[in-house]
Amino acid sequence: MNTPQPPGAGTALSTLDVDRSDPAYRDWLKEAVRKVQADANRSADTHLLRFPLPEQWGIDLYLKDESTHPTGSLKHRLARSLFLYGLCNGWIRPGRPVIEASSGSTAVSEAYFAKLIGVPFVAVMPRTTSAEKIRLIEFHGGQCHFVDDSRRMYEEAAALATRTSGHYIDQFTYAERATDWRGNNNIAESIYQQLRLERYPEPAWIVATAGTGGTSATIARYVHYMQHNTRICVPDPENSCFFDGWTKDDPHAVSDCGSRIEGIGRPRMEPSFVPGAIDRMMKVPDAASVAAVRALEGAIGRKAGGSTGTGLWSALKIVAEMVADGRKGSVVTLLCDPGDRYLDKYYSDAWLAEQGLDITPYTATIDSLLATGVWNAA
């Protein structure tokens, strides 16, 4: 990828020193904010799907289907919030590129919003990012800038923003603060509104995987703010440091390599991950994530990405604990993005063999649970 240069040099709206009181800039800003808010206004809420469980258990399991957003993932909410945050702070400017460090879905959504307001977009990402995500970023007008070591994404994105006089939007720092966790139709408020006519309207658990940590922070803060009794569980995949950082209370925890489950897991404790807000974490083997996402297709006929499998595996384990304890109630997890982005990975037996992943024992655990109510650990 060629390093992008700020387009439109010499125009009143794209000079290096933007006068933020200039009427032309203020008109551009108002129109950009209007366009981003209009996207939310014309978007319906996402569905809450039921995962079939035996009726006699008295437990309901739901998946919040975030794949139905215009850009096909949970990250559409985050990208919208980040763009509004950047615009209203005066950080995103006309004609200047927006730069992001992203393994895929956030970049797809941010490319969409950049195109919507007419600014260039560049995603700095690992070279191993799925081909379908790369295609989608480019479809929305973005460019891809690859790094061989995922741990270098941050510094490369910041350096690229400096070289191009652009804005490093930095989802990993700003995800938890760009979203209004008190409500305003965030994902947490939406879940509770959709559950209000169900037999267990206050879920016992909400399971949310973490990439930036912004979603788990938003949900947990909302739960505490609204004084709900719901507990928050954050599952973590292999090759991610969040679980170790949380269990050892170590804000400097790191991992030596990147996660195979795209969109979640990080090599460092991200600023937007808020350990103190959540109640529980689980470490989930990557093979279990794949087994769960394939079980989801068998149960409801929907393919989903690997992060959905990580969350579903943990949600099913919580369900098994509730069955064993004789507790009734509801559990909610997230369907983060569609599986057609990962046909060459999580739905490919060749990829599993290449990665040395055997999903057979984890598939047996899920099958046993659904048939008998007993969790036979893999």
Side-chain angles (χ1 to χ4, degrees), residues 136-193:
L136 288 169
I137 291 165
E138 293 175 344
F139 172 80
H140 289 299
Q143 299 180 57
C144 298
H145 181 95
F146 298 101
V147 295
D148 293 315
D149 183 348
S150 62
R151 292 170 294 181
R152 291 192 56 247
M153 289 196 307
Y154 316 93
E155 61 186 80
E156 183 62 22
L160 189 58
T162 298
R163 292 199 300 270
T164 62
S165 298
H167 170 55
Y168 174 26
I169 200 166
D170 195 1
Q171 59 170 323
F172 298 107
T173 295
Y174 295 107
E176 57 87 12
R177 65 193 73 172
T179 300
D180 185 353
W181 50 266
R182 297 172 185 85
N184 194 22
N185 196 34
N186 66 30
I187 189 171
E189 184 178 57
S190 174
I191 288 169
Y192 280 90
Q193 284 294 321

Side-chain angles (χ1 to χ4, degrees), residues 288-344:
S289 298
V290 177
V293 84
R294 292 191 178 192
L296 176 67
E297 183 181 16
I300 68 172
R302 295 284 299 277
K303 282 185 169 69
S307 58
T308 299
T310 308
L312 180 59
W313 174 266
S314 296
L316 288 170
K317 185 175 182 181
I318 288 172
V319 166
E321 293 169 356
M322 293 173 68
V323 171
D325 293 341
R327 289 180 284 133
K328 302 183 186 303
S330 59
V331 178
V332 179
T333 187
L334 308 179
L335 198 165
C336 303
D337 62 357
D340 57 8
R341 297 180 177 182
Y342 310 97
L343 297 180
D344 60 344

Side-chain angles (χ1 to χ4, degrees), residues 246-257:
W246 186 78
T247 55
K248 298 174 183 177
D249 194 23
D250 180 8
H252 305 295
V254 295
S255 174
D256 291 335
C257 56

Side-chain angles (χ1 to χ4, degrees), residues 72-203:
S73 83
L74 168 68
K75 301 299 186 180
H76 193 85
R77 293 181 190 268
L78 172 59
R80 183 193 295 130
S81 295
L82 287 169
F83 266 76
L84 286 173
Y85 195 71
L87 286 165
C88 294
N89 283 335
W91 298 341
I92 297 175
R93 292 166 289 170
R96 307 292 182 74
V98 170
I99 317 292
E100 182 62 285
S102 171
S103 62
S105 286
T106 302
V108 173
S109 299
E110 288 175 342
Y112 168 91
F113 283 105
K115 184 177 182 180
L116 187 67
I117 66 171
V119 297
F121 177 76
V122 184
V124 178
M125 59 174 56
R127 202 172 297 279
T128 55
T129 299
S130 72
E132 178 61 13
K133 283 186 178 177
I134 294 169
R135 185 192 70 80
L136 288 169
I137 291 165
E138 293 175 344
F139 172 80
H140 289 299
Q143 299 180 57
C144 298
H145 181 95
F146 298 101
V147 295
D148 293 315
D149 183 348
S150 62
R151 292 170 294 181
R152 291 192 56 247
M153 289 196 307
Y154 316 93
E155 61 186 80
E156 183 62 22
L160 189 58
T162 298
R163 292 199 300 270
T164 62
S165 298
H167 170 55
Y168 174 26
I169 200 166
D170 195 1
Q171 59 170 323
F172 298 107
T173 295
Y174 295 107
E176 57 87 12
R177 65 193 73 172
T179 300
D180 185 353
W181 50 266
R182 297 172 185 85
N184 194 22
N185 196 34
N186 66 30
I187 189 171
E189 184 178 57
S190 174
I191 288 169
Y192 280 90
Q193 284 294 321
Q194 290 177 308
L195 284 173
R196 61 190 176 86
L197 297 182
E198 301 298 301
R199 59 176 175 171
Y200 307 117
E202 184 177 81

